Structures are given as structure tokens and as C-alpha cells.
Amino acid sequence: MTRELYTARLERKECISEPSQCYHFEFVIDELESFPFSAGQFISAVAVDAHGKQQTRAYSLASAANGNRFDLCVNRVQGGFFSNHLADLPDVSLPVGGKIHVHGPHGHFVLREPVTDSILVATGTGVAPMRGFVQSLFPPENGPQAGPDRSQGKDIWLVYGTRHESELYYRDYFEALAARKPNFHYLATLSRAPESWSGLRGYVQDHVARIVEERAARLGLPLVQPEADPAVPAADLRFDTYAYICGLNNMVASVRERLAGYGWHRKQIVFERYD
Ligand SMILES: Cc1cc2nc3c(=O)[nH]c(=O)nc-3n(C[C@H](O)[C@H](O)[C@H](O)COP(=O)(O)OP(=O)(O)OC[C@H]3O[C@@H](n4cnc5c(N)ncnc54)[C@H](O)[C@@H]3O)c2cc1C
């Protein structure tokens, strides 16, 4: 299958964490008027390495659809080709700005309709698609991307785990939103917190479990969900709450296992693995 390859021009690059060498990128596809995608999808980026070999890597779109623009959030992987190629792209401040070739959008890691209570779970750069989800549910109130709140008052939790505080990417954005939107809950947890850290500690799956337990108690629901009616085809099942998990496989597996322990149906657990 031939895939249309677009040239994406780097408009802005910012190192958002020096210690973990994580970068926020803003790209424009000049040849397109609009680049439609669903929040949570990814693009495939294509470049030729030092040996003349074409390399392709997937990167989650770190923004909601916005004309012909998209954002990425990528950290350098030691010895890796593409993450370093991106991190080293020349900034727009230089005469010739950086460009990459991309195809897409791809993937099924998207919010299920209609919007339900949702637990978004991420570690590291797995926060990229979560930023897209959150932007699409809670567009800004002013400015060119302003739009109506699409969360329909549902509770949206973002459980974000990293080792160190310096790796909490987009923290200011999520904290400011949580302060403004009572149904958006930002739970940042550190697995290697120093004593001075007054926030949450430990692994994401423990905080996800707490949310599930508190929600069941508050709504008077059984903690372990009853099994879905086997007569209903899986595609037709609808749930009042979903989990969306993104990051490395170990974390994704741990959260899935924990939710399965509460009787969650596999269709209720939507995930994207980076490795
Ligand atoms: C659907 C999807 C979406 C993705 N979205 C993002 C994203 O938004 N941001 C992002 O930073 N990455 C994302 N990734 C990971 C990305 O595609 C690359 O795997 C990553 O950037 C490393 O590529 P590289 O060419 O630098 O390293 P490579 O040359 O491919 O690998 C070098 C070495 O590093 C190891 N390695 C590969 N990936 C990782 C990793 N993530 N952490 C630690 N070690 C690793 C490899 O096993 C290998 O030994 C996504 C992956 C998938 C499948």
C-alpha cells in the first residue's frame, strides 16, 4: 500500500526536561490546509539514517487536531536513531528550519464515544496522547483554538507516573486546567520522590486502583463488575467508564491486570504500547 508522505516543517522546539532530554515539538504541514486526526492517534515519521537506510518510527500526536499543525513529545533514547534525529532538528531560529516526512494519522487509541468517566494513565512520554485527549475534551476558552467543553461533566482523571519531578511533562498546563475544571483531576505520582515531595508516591496502578474503589463507593456500585452479557457482541458493549493507558509495556500490563481484577472488560481498557 502506498502511503501519502507529507513534509512537516518544525516551527517550534523546546526542551521541556533537561535531565531526561525530552522535547516538545510543533510542526506545520504547509502542503495541507488541514491535517485531520482524532486525539490519541500517531504519525509515522520517516528519515534516512547515516547508512542510507530508511527508518520509520511511530510518534503519538501530542495535541488535538488544529488545522495543518500537530505537536509531538519525544525523549532522546540513548543510542537510538530517530529520537536523536528529532531532538537535533535545527530550530526555526536558524536559516534552514528542520523538516521531517510523516504519514498518517494511524491507530485506534482514541476516546470512545460517547464521553464517559475516564481514567487516563501514562508514564514518561506516554503523556503525549493524553495531552491530545485533554485538549480535545477541554479546549481553551479563548484564542484561535477556543471551543466548547466536550467533557459533558464526566470525571476525567489523568494519572501520570514518572521517576522524578523534572519528568512531569506539561505539568503547568495540566495543573492550571485542574484548577479551572472541577471534573478534571491531575494525579502526578513519583516512583523516586525525594523527601521534600509532598505529592503522590509510588506506581500508577496503585492510584488507578484507588480511583476505581472510591468511584464505586461514591456511586454505590459493586467493586467487582458483573460479567458482561455473553449474548451481546463485544462490539456492541457500552461501559460507563473507560481506562486509556499509554507507555512502556510493563506499566501497561500492570494497569490492565489490576483493572481485570475488578472485573473490567477488555474492551473497557484501551491501550497504546511504545515498546
Ligand atoms: C504507537 C507508538 C507511539 C509512540 N509514541 C512516542 C512518543 O510520543 N514519544 C516518544 O518519545 N516515543 C514514542 N514511541 C517510541 C518511538 O517510536 C521510538 O521507539 C523511540 O523514539 C526510540 O526510537 P529510536 O530510533 O531513537 O531508537 P532505536 O534506534 O529504535 O532503538 C535504540 C535502542 O533503544 C531501545 N528503545 C527503543 N525505544 C525505547 C524507549 N521508548 N525507551 C527506552 N528504550 C527504548 C531499543 O530497544 C534499542 O535497543 C512510540 C512508539 C509507538 C509504537
Side-chain angles (χ1 to χ4, degrees), residues 57-60 73-75 77 80-83 125 272-274:
R57 298 287 185 280
Y59 291 101
S60 297
C73 171
V74 178
N75 65 341
V77 168
F81 166 68
F82 222 113
S83 56
T125 52
E272 187 85 281
R273 287 182 292 222
Y274 280 2

Side-chain angles (χ1 to χ4, degrees), residues 24-209:
H24 168 78
F25 300 90
E26 296 178 9
F27 286 98
V28 187
I29 304 180
D30 291 310
E31 69 209 78
L32 294 181
E33 248 171 55
S34 83
F35 180 56
F37 59 86
S38 297
Q41 288 191 291
F42 65 88
I43 47 102
S44 292
V46 183
V48 175
D49 69 14
H51 310 287
K53 194 168 171 243
Q54 181 167 299
Q55 300 281 354
T56 305
R57 298 287 185 280
Y59 291 101
S60 297
L61 292 151
S63 47
N66 171 25
N68 58 354
R69 291 160 184 277
F70 65 87
D71 298 353
L72 299 181
C73 171
V74 178
N75 65 341
R76 285 187 193 269
V77 168
Q78 212 178 0
F81 166 68
F82 222 113
S83 56
N84 290 288
H85 175 72
L86 285 171
D88 294 333
L89 275 184
D91 209 276
V92 273
S93 56
L94 296 168
V96 182
K99 288 188 176 150
I100 55 166
H101 298 290
V102 300
H103 58 77
H106 302 298
H108 304 285
F109 189 66
V110 297
L111 293 173
R112 303 303 187 243
E113 301 274 356
V115 179
T116 63
D117 282 0
S118 301
I119 312 177
L120 316 180
V121 192
T123 50
T125 52
V127 78
M130 306 308 178
R131 183 173 182 262
F133 287 157
V134 172
Q135 283 187 351
S136 75
L137 291 168
F138 304 101
E141 280 160 10
N142 307 300
Q145 282 153 265
D149 185 316
R150 298 192 190 94
S151 67
Q152 294 174 32
K154 301 294 181 192
D155 277 311
I156 311 292
W157 292 269
L158 170 58
V159 183
Y160 186 24
T162 61
R163 283 170 306 174
H164 308 290
E165 194 174 351
S166 60
E167 296 160 356
L168 292 172
Y169 314 139
Y170 306 114
R171 179 182 180 177
D172 291 350
Y173 164 66
F174 292 125
E175 282 185 348
L177 188 69
R180 198 159 55 81
K181 295 284 179 183
N183 60 326
F184 176 65
H185 316 284
Y186 176 60
L187 288 83
T189 178
L190 303 184
S191 59
R192 296 192 194 166
E195 266 189 27
S196 56
W197 171 253
S198 59
L200 300 176
R201 292 164 184 268
Y203 293 114
V204 285
Q205 55 270 30
D206 297 328
H207 299 293
V208 170

